[in-house]
Amino acid sequence: MNRVVTISIAAALSSLAFAGVSRAESLGMNTARGIEQTLRTFHGNDFNVEQVHNWRNLDDENTGPRSAPERSGQAVHAIQASIDANRSLAHRLNNEGVDVRNIVNAEQAADGSLTFYVR
């Protein structure tokens, strides 16, 4: 009986320890549909803005990170529309000097923060 109680308590404590590790909703959070939903509902101030790498000139390492995947024109417009739908996010980006029309990608980190990639 003591062993069952001990195991139950250990399992409960383990689940509590991992409960606050990440605010990421799922592994699909950066898919086209996932990031669009996130952008429509994002209410935090935890975001940063990065210049994108020039995808057409891979030798140019001064324009930004290589880690931002290139999205199709349709996906870029969907990201921009999702930001426009979230007035408070669009306003905060504007206050940071970011024109939504220059955003070409967005990614959510496991901690819930966002990175916007601008051209």
Side-chain angles (χ1 to χ4, degrees), residues 9-62:
I9 291 173
L13 291 175
S14 294
S15 65
L16 289 175
F18 289 109
V21 169
S22 172
R23 292 187 337 219
E25 295 296 324
S26 71
L27 295 175
M29 68 187 175
N30 284 314
T31 63
R33 182 176 291 181
I35 196 66
E36 291 166 23
Q37 179 63 32
T38 297
L39 294 172
R40 282 188 212 98
T41 60
F42 186 76
H43 294 293
N45 289 318
D46 192 11
F47 65 83
N48 60 23
V49 179
E50 299 284 337
Q51 293 289 320
V52 295
H53 180 75
N54 182 351
W55 292 302
R56 290 166 188 43
N57 182 4
L58 296 178
D59 294 331
D60 180 8
E61 301 219 14
N62 296 322

Side-chain angles (χ1 to χ4, degrees), residues 53-104:
H53 180 75
N54 182 351
W55 292 302
R56 290 166 188 43
N57 182 4
L58 296 178
D59 294 331
D60 180 8
E61 301 219 14
N62 296 322
T63 59
R66 286 185 186 267
S67 64
E70 186 171 12
R71 298 219 189 229
S72 69
Q74 182 179 6
V76 170
H77 290 297
I79 285 172
Q80 293 170 351
S82 296
I83 295 169
D84 286 336
N86 184 338
R87 294 270 187 219
S88 64
L89 176 59
H91 182 71
R92 286 190 303 263
L93 286 166
N94 187 44
N95 285 345
E96 294 289 324
V98 177
D99 182 355
V100 172
R101 300 298 145 238
N102 290 333
I103 295 175
V104 294

